Amino acid sequence: MKDKNFTFNSNKAKEYFLEKISFEMSPWQLQKHSQEQISALNIVDVRDYDDYIEGHIPFAIHIPMGDLEEHIKMFEKDVVNIVYSYCNCCCRAPKAASIIADNNHPVMMLCGGFKAWKELNFDIIKTSDSQ
């Protein structure tokens, strides 16, 4: 049954999705870039501390969402910041990306978050509390 109140605009849909993917990076792309040109990336994990030490993406720095604004000054203007959180359902990464962009830093979001990275069996770093 068709909803008479629903209208579909394929041009707007195309524009939306093209714009959206220009600010996202897949786990495969991040893995490749982190192996080839890690100095051009700043991988930012905005999850809780306990989750970060249980496992995170190699080279990721941990800045909890609540601390991001006070640490934004340490970000370099010529390095792309790749932000990730738990999964696509989590709102932390988009919020963090918005804050980073609002401070005029280049930013992208990792598609699928840490969950997608882990499901693809990419390398994960575990950190002990004593480090």
Side-chain angles (χ1 to χ4, degrees):
M1 182 171 151
K2 289 186 178 181
D3 180 354
K4 294 179 183 180
N5 296 322
F6 179 78
T7 58
F8 179 74
N9 184 323
S10 60
N11 287 332
K12 280 191 175 189
K14 179 181 175 183
E15 288 174 22
Y16 168 79
F17 288 111
L18 287 174
E19 175 109 2
K20 183 177 185 294
I21 62 172
S22 68
F23 295 103
E24 294 180 334
M25 183 175 282
S26 75
W28 298 279
Q29 290 171 307
L30 179 57
Q31 183 194 43
K32 182 179 179 192
H33 286 299
S34 65
Q35 291 172 347
E36 295 174 357
Q37 40 185 272
I38 191 61
S39 63
L41 299 176
N42 186 30
I43 305 169
V44 183
D45 185 324
V46 295
R47 298 175 302 147
D48 292 332
Y49 175 73
D50 290 342
D51 295 311
Y52 177 80
I53 64 170
E54 282 295 315
H56 57 272
I57 295 172
F59 305 107
I61 60 170
H62 181 241
I63 304 177
M65 185 61 212
D67 298 340
L68 184 61
E69 292 206 50
E70 67 186 70
H71 289 93
I72 198 81
K73 58 186 166 274
M74 72 182 215
F75 288 28
E76 296 177 38
K77 297 274 186 184
D78 59 344
V79 174
V80 177
N81 298 283
I82 310 299
V83 179
Y84 74 91
S85 187
Y86 297 98
C87 63
N88 276 348
C89 298
C90 180
C91 295
R92 290 181 188 203
K95 287 178 184 176
S98 176
I99 291 168
I100 294 168
D102 195 39
N103 282 273
N104 297 314
H105 294 279
V107 63
M108 296 180 81
M109 196 172 72
L110 177 63
C111 294
F114 185 71
K115 180 180 179 187
W117 184 270
K118 190 174 178 179
E119 287 174 353
L120 290 166
N121 293 316
F122 290 156
D123 288 344
I124 294 172
I125 305 296
K126 293 188 179 209
T127 308
S128 72
D129 275 328
S130 63
Q131 289 182 332

